[in-house]
């Protein structure tokens, strides 16, 4: 009868004295949670960029008035006072900001869009930001497949108030009225 050895889970192989151990920490995608190699630039599961902005720039909105508290933050100081701003939240491009002045501003997956939102949940020509004849800002859905939402409600066209959250596909944009800056 052959000799059998039982190995329990607590049995560990012995290492030579002075052998170096390599500690591998696991890296995960910030969007989908997939395990990545430590040198990955993009997530192979969802395509998210692994380049992260580690700056400490923050923007604080007063929830009642929509006014920016501490408006000297670098996120908005490059845009002239009095100009409406769309601030991207909760996506790989979080922190990006777009000035809304003058002519209508288009947003979508088309490279011709003023605001290029690169994701399959966004239609090529998804939405436009414009002004009424009286000068009030509005958002208009352009017949997109997934729709446009303002504060969680699907809309075809809606006048915007400072602090409104506009969802275009997976992108969330916060509207900040120029008068509040």
């Amino acid at each position: 009868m052959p000799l059998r050895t039982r190995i329990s889970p607590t049995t560990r192989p012995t290492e030579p004295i002075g052998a170096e151990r390599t500690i591998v920490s696991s890296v995960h995608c910030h969007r989908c949670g997939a395990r990545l190699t430590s040198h990955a630039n993009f997530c192979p599961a969802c395509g998210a960029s692994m380049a992260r902005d580690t700056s400490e720039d923050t923007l604080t909105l007063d929830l009642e008035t929509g006014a920016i508290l501490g408006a000297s933050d670098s996120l908005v100081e490059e845009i002239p006072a009095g100009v409406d701003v769309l601030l991207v939240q909760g996506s790989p491009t979080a922190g990006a900001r777009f000035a809304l002045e003058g002519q209508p501003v288009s947003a979508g997956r088309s490279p011709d869009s003023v605001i290029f939102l690169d994701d399959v949940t966004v239609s090529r020509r998804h939405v436009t930001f414009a002004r009424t004849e009286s000068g009030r800002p509005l958002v208009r859905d352009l017949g997109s497949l997934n729709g446009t939402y303002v504060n969680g409600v699907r809309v075809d066209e809606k006048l915007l108030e400072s602090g409104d959250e506009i969802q275009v596909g997976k992108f969330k944009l916060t509207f900040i009225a120029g008068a509040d800056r």
Side-chain angles (χ1 to χ4, degrees):
M1 179 175 225
L3 182 63
R4 294 186 181 180
T5 306
R6 183 175 185 167
I7 300 175
S8 70
T10 59
T11 305
R12 297 185 183 179
T14 58
E15 295 178 2
I17 296 175
E20 292 184 28
R21 293 180 120 190
T22 303
I23 298 174
V24 178
S25 63
S26 89
V27 178
H28 296 274
C29 175
H30 61 86
R31 185 191 301 167
C32 71
R35 181 171 276 181
L36 308 171
T37 59
S38 61
H39 61 278
N41 292 325
F42 295 93
C43 174
C46 70
S49 171
M50 295 298 105
R52 299 286 300 213
D53 180 13
T54 58
S55 68
E56 293 297 319
D57 289 337
T58 59
L59 181 68
T60 305
L61 287 176
D62 182 325
L63 294 177
E64 291 183 14
T65 65
I68 298 175
L69 305 175
S72 64
D73 287 343
S74 63
L75 285 174
V76 293
E77 65 186 17
E78 295 172 11
I79 297 173
V83 175
D84 296 339
V85 175
L86 281 176
L87 181 65
V88 180
Q89 306 282 338
S91 75
T93 57
R97 62 227 179 268
F98 301 95
L100 300 178
E101 55 184 337
Q103 299 181 349
V105 174
S106 62
R109 197 166 31 97
S110 169
D112 297 333
S113 296
V114 175
I115 301 174
F116 178 59
L117 302 173
D118 189 19
D119 189 73
V120 295
T121 60
V122 179
S123 296
R124 286 182 184 87
R125 295 188 66 242
H126 197 107
V127 68
T128 189
F129 297 91
R131 297 207 174 269
T132 63
E133 290 179 13
S134 63
R136 298 220 25 222
L138 66 87
V139 60
R140 181 177 299 126
D141 186 86
L142 300 174
S144 65
L145 181 63
N146 291 326
T148 300
Y149 295 80
V150 176
N151 300 325
V153 177
R154 189 171 181 157
V155 298
D156 290 327
E157 185 173 295
K158 169 100 170 64
L159 291 173
L160 295 173
E161 302 290 331
S162 194
D164 281 349
E165 182 182 80
I166 301 103
Q167 184 167 349
V168 178
K170 72 172 186 180
F171 294 89
K172 292 184 179 179
L173 312 162
T174 301
F175 174 75
I176 303 165
D180 292 338
R181 300 189 318 106

